[in-house]
Amino acid sequence: MSPNAKRRPSVDTPTLKVPTRARILVRGACLVGAILLLLPVVPGASAPVVVPALSPFVAIAALLATRTFHAVALVGLAVGAVGLFRRRLFCRWVCPVGLCTDGAGRLGRRLGRRTVRGPKVGPWIVLLTFGGACLGYPLGLWLDPLAIFTGLFQLGPDGGVTFVLLAVIPFLSLLLLSLFWPNLWCTRICPLGAFQDLLFAWCRVPGSVLRRRGSENQTRETRRRLTRRTALGMAIGAVVAWATGLVRGKTSRPLRPPGAIDESKFVGVCTRCGNCLRSCPSGIIKHDLGQGGWPSLWTPVLSFRDDYCREGCTRCAEVCPSGALERFPREGKARVRIGLAQVDMDVCLLAEDRECSACARWCPYGAIRYVFSEAQYTLVVEVDPDKCTGCGACETACPTTPKKAIVVSPIATPPNAQLGSFGAQGQAKRRPILP
Amino acid sequence: MGERMNRRACLRVLGLSGLTAGLSTVRTRPCPAQSVGESSGFQSSVIASGQVRANRANPTILDGKVIQPRRELPILDQTDVLVVGGGPAGVVAAIAARRAGARVTLVERYGHFGGLWTGGLVLLVIGHIVKGGKQVCQGIGEEIMSRLDKLDGAIINRRPGTNPTADAEAVKYVMVEMIEEAGVNVFLHCWGVDTIVTGNRVQGAVFESKSGRQAILARTVIDATGDGDIFAAAGAAFEHRSHNVGLVSRIGNLDRVDSTKAAGSPKPRRLGSPTPVRGVNWVNMRGPEVDGLDVATLTRMEMNHRKFIWRNMQKTRQAPGYEHTYLVETAPQLGVRITRVLRGLKTITLADLKAGTRFPDVVGVGGSDSGNHGPWQIPYGSLVPAKVENVLAAGRCVSAEIRMADLVRLIPNCFVTGHAAGVAGAVAARDRCRPRDVDVAKVQRILRQQEAYLG
C-alpha cells in the first residue's frame, strides 16, 4: 500500500477536494486554452505540441528512454518543478482532463455511483514506466492523460467514421471510467498525478533539501518504504522492458513517420497523442491497428496509398511531445530515411514494355532509374538505396492496381543512424574505428 | 483567298468545304509529278532523255576533306506557314494555321501522315485526360479522334476516362482527308535538312527528296520534326538528350489462341494490347537508352530489335495454344522517344505541374499518362526559341525539363502544342511579326474558337 494513502494529509498537501468556483473557472479556462491550442486556432504549426508536452511524466520518461534532450521537454520539466512545492498543483488548477473526469464523476455520483477506494496503481505505473525507460522502453506513457486528451482532436484531412472513433475511444473510456467509479482515475490510476505525488513525497523524506517544517510526519520509515517501492517498481519495469525487448520491434516493423527513433524504443516513447497524424499536410499518417503487433496499437504508421511524405516537411517531428519522432532540419529531409522503395517486376508495367515512367518522374530525390536489361530485352527499375528515403512518392504515383509495383518497405537498420549525421553525436558514431 | 476574307468568313467556308471533301478549297498548284511526257503506248514513258541535272554541283575532295560547293537551290514553294514534320503535332499545326487563315505548306519525310502514331505503330493514345477523368486535349486533336469514331474499326476504348487505341491505317486516312479539306499544300517524301537563315531570322527551309535539294520560303516555320532538326539547323539553343529507342510490332491471330491448351502453361510475355483489328495486338518496346540522333546507333537498334522481335515471336508460337499467332509487321519507323529539346523562352517544369501554375500565355493544357495527376498548362513561351526568330517548336521537342519529357511527348500533348504553334504561326505571319511578339491574347482567342481547351 502507498505510504501516502495511509498517512493523513499534512498542512501543505491538500488532497483533491470538491473544486471551488475559482478553481473550476481557472480549469475551465485552461480547458478552453488547450482546445484552442489543439484545434489549432492558435497560429504556429508547433502550437499543438504544448498540451501533451505539459506532462512532466512524459518529459522525464522520454528523457530517460531516448537519452536526448529536446527543448520541448522544458515545458514538462517546468510543470514538474512547480509540483515540487505545491502538491498536485497542476491537477487542481490546470489539468483539462481532470475537469472532464470530475464532471463525469459528479454525474456518476448523482446517478448513485459511489467513490471507490481501490489500491493506488498510479505510482506503480509511474515506477514501471521509469524502470522500463531506463532500458529505452517506457511502459506506460500511453496512459498519460494529456496525451489521451490530445488524441481526441483528430480533425485530420480524412475524417472518416473509423478515424473519429479511433480518436474518441481512449478519452471516452476515461469519461466512462469516471462516470461509473467517480474519482478512480484521478486519485488511483492517473500516472501524471501519481508522478507528482511521488515527486512531492521524495522531496520531503528526511535528508531532502526541500523538506519543510510542516512535514515532520515524514519519517525515516517512510523513506525506507519509498525507497523500497521505487526500487522494486523500477526493477520490475526494467525486467519487463528487457523481456519484451527480446521480441519487440523485431518481428514486424511498420513504416514510421520521418525521424522516428529505433522501433524497439518507438512503441514505448510514443505517447499516442496523435499530434503527428493531425499535423501531416499529406494525411499519410494513420493509427496502427495491429500492423506492428499489440504493443504498437494506436501508434502512427504511414500509408502511401493517397499521398507521400513531402520533401522539406518537418511538421510531424515538430509536434511530437516525447521525441519519439526526432526533430531534424528542413534541409536535411533528403537524408531522413523512412524506408526503402522495392520493386516487384512481376507487377511493374515496364516488364510488359508498357509506356510508364511514373515512379522515376515523381521521385523527389532522383533515386529511381530504368536500366535496359539485355537478357530480358526490357527495362528494369533500379532504386538507389543511398538516395531513396522511402518518402513513398513512387508508391503513390505507381498506376498498377490493386497491387502497387513499387512499395516502400521498412528498413532493417535503425533509422536514427541517418539522423545522427546532423549532430556531433552522430558524427562520432559514424567515425571509422581505427586500430 | 484567306487574306482577303475575315477569319470568321474563312472558317465558315472551310467548314463548308468539309462537306464537299475539299474540292472547293484545295489550291491548284503546278504539281511537278503531273508532266509525264508523251504516251509511248506502253506502261512507261520517257519524261526526258539523257538529261543532265542543271543545278549539279557535286561535292569534291579538297585537302582530304569532302567539300560541298555553293549552289543555287530551286524554290519549290513560297508560303506563310511552313510546317516541317507530318506527325500528330505537324498535322494539327498545319490544319490549325490554315483554319486561322494562313497559306500553309506541310512537308513530311515519309509517305504518310501520323508520324510515330502510325509509322511507329504507337497506337495507344494516352495523355488526353487528367486525374478525375477530365479531357484536356480538345480542339483539332479531339476532332481527329471523333472522326475516327465515325469510321468502322478505326478506334477502340473511346469511353470517357479511358485511353483509346487507334488503327494506324485509319489515322493515316483521316489525316489525309482533314489535310485536304483544310487546303494545306503538302509535300511527302521530303526530308527537311536545313533552314534558310539571314542573321537570326529564319526565312524558310531546305528539303532533300527525289526531286533533289529544294527550298521553301516561309514567314514562319513550325518545327514539328520531333527531333528539332529545324530549330537546331537555325542555330537555336537546345538540349541533346538520350532516351529509350525501341521498335513496335503487331502480332496477329490472338483470337485463335487455344485457351484449353494454353491453360496449364505460363502465358507468354509481350503479347501487347488489343487494337481495333480483331485478333491483332500491338506490342510496345522500350529498348535501351541511347542517342537517337546517331545514325550508327539507329542502325544497330533497328537490326537488334528486328532480331529480337522475330525470335521472341518464335518463342511465343512454341507456347501451347499459341501456334497460330504470327508477326504481322514491325513498325516502319523506329521508336525514338526524345532527342533534341528546345531551350525556349519558358520551360515546362514538373514543379509547375505540381503547383498547378497558371500561365498568362497559356496556349494549351497537357494531360496525364496514368491519370494520377492534374492538368498542367503549356505556356506559349515553351514553343518559342530563346534567340532564333520565325521558328516555333511543336510536339515532343518543345521546351520542357527532362522529367516532363515523357508527358510532353504523348500524342494528345503533341496535338495540343501543334495546335498552339499552328495558330501562333498563322497570327505571326499575318501580323508580319516575330513569333515572340505575337499577340498571345489573339492566339488564345483563335484557339478557343477552334475549340481548344486552355483551362
Side-chain angles (χ1 to χ4, degrees), chain A residues 89 99 102 122 140 157 172 187 204 263 282 322 331 353 360 385 426 432:
Chain A
L89 184 87
L99 187 65
D102 277 357
L172 205 63
T187 59
R204 270 145 194 82
E263 179 65 15
S282 320
S322 66
E331 321 76 63
D353 256 336

Side-chain angles (χ1 to χ4, degrees), chain A residues 178-249:
Chain A
S178 299
L179 183 73
F180 288 104
W181 297 282
N183 269 358
L184 183 71
W185 169 259
C186 279
T187 59
R188 309 277 134 175
I189 305 171
C190 176
L192 176 55
F195 171 70
Q196 292 176 77
D197 281 346
L198 272 176
L199 203 64
F200 194 81
W202 262 112
C203 293
R204 270 145 194 82
V205 294
S208 164
V209 231
L210 283 171
R211 189 174 165 81
R212 282 193 198 173
R213 284 226 179 94
S215 52
E216 266 84 24
N217 50 356
Q218 287 265 29
T219 61
R220 284 174 195 288
E221 173 56 25
T222 37
R223 182 174 67 178
R224 206 174 302 129
R225 218 179 292 164
L226 204 54
T227 317
R228 206 165 51 220
R229 203 164 55 135
T230 306
L232 182 66
M234 289 189 57
I236 296 173
V239 167
V240 173
W242 173 78
T244 56
L246 295 176
V247 286
R248 186 175 6 102

Side-chain angles (χ1 to χ4, degrees), chain A residues 9 11 15 36 43 62 73 76 81 122 148 206 211 225 234 255 272 290 305 375 399:
Chain A
V11 188
T15 48
L36 290 182
I148 292 175
R211 189 174 165 81
R225 218 179 292 164
M234 289 189 57
L255 281 173
R272 280 88 165 148
R305 202 174 52 94

Side-chain angles (χ1 to χ4, degrees), chain B residues 296-326:
Chain B
T297 306
L298 294 176
T299 308
R300 188 163 45 85
M301 290 297 107
E302 282 277 7
M303 292 166 72
N304 286 355
H305 291 345
R306 280 178 203 291
K307 279 192 292 184
F308 172 79
I309 290 169
W310 180 261
R311 288 171 188 165
N312 188 61
M313 193 67 232
Q314 299 314 304
K315 251 186 245 168
T316 305
R317 285 161 63 90
Q318 279 158 19
Y322 286 84
E323 297 82 1
H324 297 294
T325 58
Y326 72 107

Side-chain angles (χ1 to χ4, degrees), chain A residues 107-125:
Chain A
L107 186 66
R109 270 194 288 269
R110 201 163 286 178
L111 296 173
R113 302 296 305 184
R114 289 275 189 81
T115 310
V116 283
R117 290 215 153 264
K120 274 200 161 189
V121 287
W124 289 103
I125 295 172

Side-chain angles (χ1 to χ4, degrees), chain B residues 271-395:
Chain B
L271 291 176
S273 350
T275 65
V277 183
R278 188 162 171 251
V280 173
N281 275 14
W282 74 282
V283 187
N284 193 29
M285 185 199 284
R286 295 294 292 254
E289 183 190 325
V290 293
D291 175 7
L293 293 178
D294 180 55
V295 71
T297 306
L298 294 176
T299 308
R300 188 163 45 85
M301 290 297 107
E302 282 277 7
M303 292 166 72
N304 286 355
H305 291 345
R306 280 178 203 291
K307 279 192 292 184
F308 172 79
I309 290 169
W310 180 261
R311 288 171 188 165
N312 188 61
M313 193 67 232
Q314 299 314 304
K315 251 186 245 168
T316 305
R317 285 161 63 90
Q318 279 158 19
Y322 286 84
E323 297 82 1
H324 297 294
T325 58
Y326 72 107
L327 182 63
V328 178
E329 60 175 339
T330 54
Q333 216 174 318
L334 198 59
V336 176
R337 287 176 172 79
I338 290 287
T339 52
R340 294 191 197 95
V341 172
L342 180 72
R343 284 241 175 94
L345 295 177
K346 283 190 183 163
T347 299
I348 298 166
T349 66
L350 187 64
D352 283 329
L353 184 156
K354 282 185 183 174
T357 311
R358 299 180 71 85
F359 296 101
D361 63 340
V362 56
V363 285
V365 178
S368 154
D369 53 355
S370 45
N372 58 8
H373 59 80
W376 43 282
Q377 291 203 338
I378 299 167
Y380 176 59
S382 65
L383 316 179
V384 186
K387 294 227 171 68
V388 177
E389 305 301 344
N390 296 351
V391 178
L392 284 168

Side-chain angles (χ1 to χ4, degrees), chain B residues 77-96:
Chain B
D77 194 13
Q78 208 158 352
T79 184
D80 290 338
V81 178
L82 169 63
V83 182
V84 187
V91 166
V92 171
I95 295 169

